[in-house]
C-alpha cells in the first residue's frame, strides 16, 4: 500500500502529460472530464489539510481563502464569466494538490519510491518528444504535451525534482541520471530560450550543494547556457520574431489591466477578450492570429484578476517560499525541500514568458514541486474535519457534470460531422452549457433552421465570446445572407476591430456602407488578390476609385503602393473561371481557434468566402499584402474605421 501511495503523484503526472491534461488531450471527452475527476479525487485524499494546505502558518493560512474570494469576485464582475467557471470550480482542488503530494511522500521510503516513479515519467516524456521530433523531422519537440513551450515548461519544473536521486548509489542514481540527460536533451530540442535558461540557472545553484554529482549537474548547466548564445544574440539584435510577437501580447495584457485594474476581466478570460486590447503590428502579427494567452503569467494575472487578486497570489507564493527557506535547516530532508523550491522557482521563471496554468499538466507539475518541498520539510500534517471539503467537492461535481455532458455531445457531433446528425447533438450541448459560445456558434453554422434564426444565434455566440474575430465574421456573413444588414454591419465592424490586419471584414463591410471606396481599398491593401474580386464586374468605377485611394493611403510604402496599382490595373477581372478566397478556422490542428481559445478539438470550417477571378488572382498572387510588410504602420489599419 505504501508503495502504491508513493507512486500516485507520478501516475497523476504521467496521465496528465500523456493523455488527459495535455494541450490536445484535455479538450477531448472523456479525457478532460476524467482529468477533472482525478484532481477532485486527489483533493479528497488531502481533505484533512484544508485549513492550511500550504503550511503558511496561523496568520498566513487565511491568504488562500482571501485569494479564493478575490477570484470569485473577479468572476462575478467578468464580462465573460463562462470562460472561468471550470477554473474556479477546480481551484480549491488544485490548491489541495500540494498537500496530497506531501502526504504521498511523507516518509523517506515513500520519497525514494516516488523519485523512481518521477524519473520514469521524465524519461518517458523526454523519450517520446525526441523520437517524435526525429521521426517527423520537426524543428521543435512538442509531444506529448502538444506544444514546444508546454513541453519545455513541464520538463523545467520536473527536472529539479529528480536531482535528489543522485545522492544514493545504485539503480535510482542511474535512473535519475537518465532522467536528467534525456530531460535536458528534450528541453534543448524544444528551443525554448527562457525554460532552458531557467533550468541552467537552477542547476548551477543546486550543484553548489551536490558534492557527489556537482560536476554532472554543473556541466549540464554550462552546456545548456552555451547552446543559448545564438538565440540570445538574435533577441538582442531584434532578429527574433517570437520576441517581437510577445511584445504585442504584453502590451495587450497591460492595456487590459489598465482598463479594469480592480477586478480584472475574470479568470480564464484572456483567450476570449485579449483581442479587444491588442494592437497588431504589420510584419510581426499575422492577420487572423489566434492568441490564447498573454505569454507572461504576471501580466495575465494582472489582466484577469486585477491588482488585488494578483497581490494575493504574490503574497501566497512569497509566504510559501519564505516559510520553506526559514525551516530548511530543521527539515527532515533538506535536499527535497531545495528540489521542491527549485521546481517552484522554475515554474516562476517559465511563467515570465509563458502563461500556461490553463493546461492541467503544468498545474499538476507545479503542485508536485510544491508538495515535494512540503514533504521534505516533514512535520505532522493537520487533521481538520473533512466534511467541508466533501460538501464542496460534491457541489463542484454537480456543477461540472452538465458541462462534461455538453462536451461529450460536442465531441460526438464533431466525430460524425454531418449536418443531419450533428445539429441535434450541438443543440443538446447548447442546452446543457448555454453560455459556451462555441456550441451556439457551431449550431448556427450547421443547423437546418430558418436563416434568420441561425444569423441571430450566431450573433449571440459572438456576443458571448466578446473578442473572437472569426465568430463575429461568420455572424456577419450569416446576417448578410439573411438580409439583416444592420446586424451584419455591426458584426463586420466588430470583426475588423478585433482583427484589423485581415481583409475579409472590410471587404464585406464595403457592401453595407454609403461610401464603399475606403473599405474596398483597405481590403485590397490587406490582400491584393481582392483586386480581382468578381464583385467588381459591372462596378469598374468602384475598383478604379479604390485603387486610386490605395495610391495615397498613408502609412504604407510608396513603392509598394505604386507596384500594386500597376499590377492591379493589368489584372482586372474578366468573364473567366471563378474561385473562392476563403477565411477558414481550425485547418491546422496545432493552431486551431477552437483549441487555443475554447479548449475544444479542432473542427475545420469556412467562416467567409469571396469570389475572385482565377487568372487575375494568379497575376496578383506574387505581391505581398501591405499588412505583412515591416515597413507598414499600424495606424494604416485602424480598428474603428476603414481609412486612417
Amino acid at each position: 500500500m505504501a508503495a502504491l501511495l508513493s507512486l500516485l503523484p507520478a501516475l497523476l503526472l504521467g496521465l496528465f502529460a500523456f493523455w488527459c491534461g495535455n494541450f490536445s488531450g484535455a479538450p477531448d471527452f472523456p479525457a478532460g472530464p476524467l482529468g477533472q475527476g482525478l484532481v477532485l479525487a486527489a483533493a479528497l485524499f488531502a481533505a484533512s489539510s484544508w485549513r492550511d494546505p500550504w503550511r503558511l502558518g496561523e496568520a498566513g493560512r487565511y491568504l488562500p481563502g482571501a485569494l479564493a474570494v478575490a477570484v470569485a469576485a473577479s468572476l462575478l464582475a467578468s464580462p465573460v464569466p463562462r470562460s472561468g467557471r471550470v477554473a474556479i470550480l477546480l481551484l480549491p482542488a488544485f490548491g489541495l494538490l500540494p498537500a496530497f503530494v506531501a502526504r504521498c511522500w511523507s516518509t523517506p521510503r515513500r520519497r525514494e519510491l516516488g523519485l523512481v516513479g518521477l524519473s520514469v515519467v521524465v524519461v518517458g516524456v523526454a523519450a517520446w518528444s525526441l523520437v517524435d521530433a526525429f521521426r517527423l523531422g520537426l524543428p521543435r519537440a512538442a509531444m506529448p504535451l502538444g506544444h514546444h513551450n508546454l513541453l519545455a515548461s513541464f520538463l523545467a519544473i520536473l527536472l529539479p525534482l529528480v536531482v535528489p536521486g543522485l545522492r544514493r548509489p545504485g539503480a535510482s542514481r542511474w535512473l535519475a541520471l537518465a532522467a536528467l540527460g534525456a530531460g535536458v536533451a528534450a528541453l534543448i530540442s524544444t528551443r525554448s530560450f527562457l525554460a532552458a535558461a531557467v533550468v541552467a540557472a537552477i542547476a548551477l545553484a543546486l550543484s553548489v550543494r551536490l558534492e557527489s554529482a556537482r560536476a554532472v549537474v554543473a556541466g549540464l548547466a554550462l552546456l545548456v547556457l552555451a547552446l543559448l548564445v545564438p538565440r540570445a544574440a538574435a533577441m538582442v539584435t531584434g532578429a527574433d520574431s517570437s520576441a517581437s510577437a510577445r511584445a504585442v501580447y504584453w502590451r495587450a495584457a497591460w492595456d487590459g489591466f489598465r482598463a479594469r485594474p480592480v477586478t480584472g476581466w475574470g479568470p480564464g478570460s484572456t483567450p476570449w477578450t485579449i483581442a479587444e486590447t491588442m494592437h497588431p503590428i504589420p510584419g510581426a502579427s499575422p492577420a487572423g492570429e489566434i492568441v490564447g494567452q498573454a505569454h507572461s503569467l504576471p501580466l495575465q494575472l494582472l489582466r484577469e484578476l486585477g491588482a488585488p487578486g494578483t497581490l494575493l497570489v504574490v503574497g501566497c507564493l512569497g509566504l510559501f517560499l519564505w516559510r520553506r527557506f526559514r525551516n530548511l535547516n530543521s527539515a527532515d530532508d533538506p535536499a527535497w525541500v531545495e528540489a521542491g523550491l527549485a521546481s517552484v522557482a522554475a515554474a516562476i521563471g517559465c511563467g515570465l514568458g509563458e502563461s500556461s496554468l490553463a493546461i492541467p499538466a503544468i498545474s499538476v507539475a507545479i503542485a508536485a514541486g510544491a508538495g515535494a518541498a512540503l514533504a521534505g520539510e516533514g512535520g505532522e500534517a493537520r487533521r481538520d474535519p473533512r466534511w467541508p471539503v466533501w460538501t464542496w467537492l460534491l457541489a463542484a461535481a454537480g456543477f461540472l457534470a452538465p458541462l462534461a455532458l455538453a462536451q461529450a455531445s460536442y465531441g460526438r457531433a464533431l466525430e460524425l460531422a454531418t449536418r443531419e446528425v450533428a445539429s441535434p447533438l450541438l443543440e443538446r450541448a447548447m442546452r446543457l452549457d448555454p453560455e459556451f459560445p462555441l456550441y451556439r456558434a457551431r449550431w448556427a453554422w450547421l443547423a437546418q433552421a430558418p436563416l434568420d434564426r441561425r444569423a441571430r444565434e450566431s450573433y449571440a455566440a459572438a456576443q458571448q465570446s466578446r473578442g473572437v474575430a472569426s465568430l463575429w465574421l461568420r455572424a456577419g456573413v450569416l446576417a448578410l445572407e439573411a438580409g439583416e444588414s444592420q446586424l451584419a454591419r455591426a458584426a463586420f465592424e466588430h470583426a475588423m476591430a478585433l482583427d484589423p490586419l485581415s481583409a475579409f471584414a472590410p471587404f464585406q463591410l464595403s457592401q453595407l456602407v454609403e461610401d464603399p471606396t475606403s473599405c474596398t481599398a483597405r481590403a485590397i491593401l490587406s490582400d491584393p488578390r481582392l483586386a480581382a474580386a468578381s464583385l467588381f464586374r459591372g462596378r469598374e468605377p468602384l475598383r478604379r476609385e479604390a485603387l486610386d485611394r490605395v495610391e495615397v493611403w498613408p502609412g504604407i510604402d510608396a513603392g509598394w503602393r505604386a507596384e500594386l496599382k500597376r499590377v492591379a490595373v493589368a489584372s482586372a477581372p474578366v468573364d473567366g473561371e471563378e474561385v473562392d478566397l476563403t477565411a477558414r478556422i481550425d485547418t491546422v490542428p496545432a493552431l486551431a481557434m477552437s483549441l487555443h481559445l475554447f479548449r475544444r478539438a479542432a473542427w475545420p470550417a469556412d467562416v467567409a468566402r469571396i469570389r475572385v477571378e482565377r487568372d487575375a488572382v494568379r497575376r496578383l498572387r506574387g505581391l505581398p499584402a501591405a499588412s505583412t510588410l515591416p515597413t507598414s504602420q499600424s495606424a494604416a489599419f485602424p480598428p474603428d474605421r476603414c481609412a486612417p
Side-chain angles (χ1 to χ4, degrees):
M1 182 63 183
L4 177 61
L5 193 65
S6 63
L7 293 175
L8 285 181
L11 290 172
L12 192 66
L13 283 165
L15 278 171
F16 273 70
F18 289 102
W19 183 42
C20 63
N22 59 36
F23 186 60
S24 57
D28 286 338
F29 183 90
L34 176 62
Q36 296 169 10
L38 289 173
V39 172
L40 294 175
L44 281 177
F45 198 75
S48 61
S49 304
W50 68 270
R51 290 186 189 273
D52 190 11
W54 305 339
R55 301 183 196 169
L56 301 182
E58 286 302 318
R61 66 189 178 91
Y62 294 105
L63 277 177
L67 174 60
V69 171
V71 173
S74 178
L75 185 72
L76 290 173
S78 173
V80 285
R82 174 59 184 87
S83 63
R85 188 163 298 159
V86 173
I88 198 168
L89 288 170
L90 292 175
L91 183 62
F94 276 104
L96 286 169
L97 278 186
F100 160 75
V101 173
R103 183 176 177 185
C104 292
W105 293 341
S106 58
T107 66
R109 177 59 178 167
R110 288 182 181 180
R111 287 194 288 274
E112 185 177 346
L113 292 174
L115 186 59
V116 171
L118 199 62
S119 298
V120 170
V121 170
V122 173
V123 169
V125 169
W128 185 342
S129 68
L130 292 170
V131 170
D132 183 76
F134 176 78
R135 181 174 59 87
L136 300 178
L138 300 175
R140 289 180 161 187
M143 296 303 289
L145 272 293
H147 192 280
H148 58 272
N149 285 332
L150 294 176
L151 174 62
S153 296
F154 187 80
L155 291 171
I157 295 167
L158 291 188
L159 281 174
L161 298 181
V162 304
V163 172
L166 301 175
R167 296 178 300 174
R168 295 184 177 88
S172 62
R173 172 180 287 182
W174 289 108
L175 188 56
L177 281 171
L180 282 174
V184 168
L187 182 65
I188 293 171
S189 70
T190 67
R191 297 172 56 195
S192 175
F193 177 85
L194 183 60
V198 166
V199 166
I202 289 174
L204 284 175
L206 288 177
S207 67
V208 174
R209 294 177 62 92
L210 287 170
E211 297 180 2
S212 59
R214 181 178 300 162
V216 174
V217 177
L220 286 173
L222 293 174
L223 172 63
V224 173
L225 287 173
L227 293 171
L228 293 177
V229 172
R231 180 78 184 278
M235 294 173 70
V236 170
T237 58
D240 187 80
S241 59
S242 177
S244 301
R246 273 177 162 76
V248 176
Y249 311 147
W250 295 343
R251 180 186 172 187
W254 179 251
D255 288 347
F257 163 67
R258 291 174 60 193
R260 300 172 67 99
V262 179
T263 59
W265 293 72
S269 61
T270 296
W272 297 8
T273 61
I274 194 170
E276 294 190 54
T277 54
M278 267 188 60
H279 304 281
I281 298 176
S285 308
E289 184 177 22
I290 303 299
V291 182
Q293 53 154 310
H295 291 79
S296 169
L297 183 56
L299 286 173
Q300 185 154 324
L301 287 173
L302 280 170
R303 188 185 192 281
E304 293 191 355
L305 303 182
T310 303
L311 287 174
L312 285 169
V313 171
V314 173
C316 290
L317 182 59
L319 185 57
F320 175 86
L321 295 173
W322 179 75
R323 289 190 67 86
R324 303 294 81 74
F325 272 117
R326 194 185 70 170
N327 299 333
L328 186 59
N329 292 331
S330 60
D332 288 354
D333 195 336
W336 268 78
V337 178
E338 290 174 346
L341 292 176
S343 176
V344 175
I348 295 171
C350 292
L352 297 177
E354 281 295 308
S355 181
S356 50
L357 289 182
I359 308 303
I362 302 299
S363 297
V364 172
I366 296 172
L374 294 174
E377 190 176 58
E380 289 294 325
R382 292 183 64 96
R383 286 292 180 263
D384 300 319
R386 296 170 177 265
W387 66 264
V389 177
W390 280 88
T391 303
W392 165 76
L393 287 175
L394 288 173
F399 282 110
L400 288 169
L403 307 186
L405 292 174
Q407 186 177 358
S409 294
Y410 181 82
R412 183 61 176 162
L414 189 158
E415 182 183 340
L416 298 172
T418 61
R419 173 172 291 190
E420 295 77 9
V421 180
S423 295
L425 290 167
L426 290 170
E427 190 168 10
R428 180 170 183 263
M430 192 168 62
R431 286 198 309 270
L432 289 166
D433 194 356
E435 296 178 68
F436 198 70
L438 189 62
Y439 299 158
R440 189 175 302 275
R442 293 285 187 181
W443 179 87
W445 300 353
L446 281 176
Q448 293 178 316
L451 186 57
D452 59 341
R453 184 191 170 194
R454 293 173 55 209
R456 287 193 299 270
E457 291 289 352
S458 184
Y459 192 88
Q463 287 180 310
Q464 287 178 325
S465 73
R466 275 190 68 108
V468 181
S470 54
L471 265 59
W472 283 107
L473 181 60
R474 184 59 183 160
V477 169
L478 287 176
L480 191 63
E481 292 175 0
E484 300 278 355
S485 58
Q486 291 185 343
L487 213 62
R489 178 169 178 171
F492 290 136
E493 287 173 347
H494 271 91
M496 185 172 69
L498 297 168
D499 190 9
L501 300 184
S502 174
F504 282 88
F507 188 86
Q508 302 283 18
L509 197 56
S510 69
Q511 304 173 54
L512 300 167
V513 295
E514 293 78 11
D515 180 13
T517 305
S518 293
C519 291
T520 305
R522 174 173 173 153
I524 293 173
L525 283 168
S526 297
D527 192 338
R529 296 174 298 174
L530 292 180
S534 303
L535 178 72
F536 294 129
R537 289 178 182 166
R539 302 180 67 187
E540 184 58 34
L542 172 60
R543 183 177 186 274
R544 187 166 52 251
E545 290 169 6
L547 292 175
D548 290 341
R549 183 73 179 88
V550 165
E551 198 172 19
V552 296
W553 200 275
I556 305 296
D557 180 76
W560 182 91
R561 285 182 279 144
E563 178 65 12
L564 170 63
K565 185 169 183 181
R566 184 190 69 79
V567 176
V569 167
S571 306
V574 294
D575 292 332
E577 182 183 358
E578 293 183 354
V579 293
D580 286 329
L581 289 183
T582 307
R584 306 201 75 203
I585 60 168
D586 293 6
T587 53
V588 180
L591 303 175
M593 180 273 291
S594 299
L595 192 58
H596 282 269
L597 305 190
F598 296 103
R599 304 301 300 136
R600 293 295 179 268
W603 188 345
D606 297 345
V607 293
R609 294 179 181 179
I610 299 173
R611 300 290 289 175
V612 293
E613 200 273 323
R614 182 190 293 273
D615 291 335
V617 163
R618 285 174 177 167
R619 293 190 289 270
L620 289 159
R621 192 165 47 193
L623 194 65
S627 59
T628 66
L629 301 176
T631 55
S632 298
Q633 298 178 11
S634 298
F637 305 93
D640 57 340
R641 57 193 181 278
C642 281

